[in-house]
Amino acid sequence: MANIKSAKKRIKVIATRTARNRALNSAVKTYIKKVVAAANNNDKALAEAQLKVAVKAIDKATAKGLFHKNAAARKKSTLTRLVNKIA
């Protein structure tokens, strides 16, 4: 355990940020899974609705610094291609 006051604060701040990052990452993964599930069931309307939610969540996570902008673009592109493949 740290003895210096600033080091103690850093530990608290890191714990807070880690919790936020884990929650955001988990939410994004859940939204992505919902898009994939809808696409696998060939439900285009549901897949498009879920895609909209997932893209918004990915953008928010990117703004918070959770994803690099290219990684976010790759995730969105992959999901969009998956939804567009549905007949």
Side-chain angles (χ1 to χ4, degrees):
M1 181 65 190
N3 291 323
I4 299 169
K5 189 175 181 181
S6 62
K8 289 179 183 178
K9 181 181 177 183
R10 286 288 108 209
I11 290 170
K12 286 182 184 178
V13 170
I14 289 169
T16 304
R17 288 183 178 181
T18 301
R20 185 194 71 192
N21 288 342
R22 278 193 184 148
L24 280 172
N25 203 8
S26 176
V28 168
K29 284 181 184 179
T30 302
Y31 294 132
I32 289 173
K33 285 178 189 174
K34 287 181 179 180
V35 173
V36 172
N40 288 339
N41 291 333
N42 291 326
D43 189 350
K44 187 157 180 99
L46 179 62
E48 286 176 345
Q50 293 294 341
L51 176 65
K52 196 172 184 181
V53 174
V55 166
K56 187 173 181 179
I58 291 169
D59 286 339
K60 280 187 176 181
T62 304
K64 297 280 185 187
L66 189 62
F67 299 126
H68 187 274
K69 65 177 185 168
N70 291 352
R74 185 179 64 245
K75 288 176 189 294
K76 292 189 290 187
S77 175
T78 304
L79 290 175
T80 304
R81 274 190 279 125
L82 183 66
V83 171
N84 288 342
K85 277 188 196 175
I86 301 172

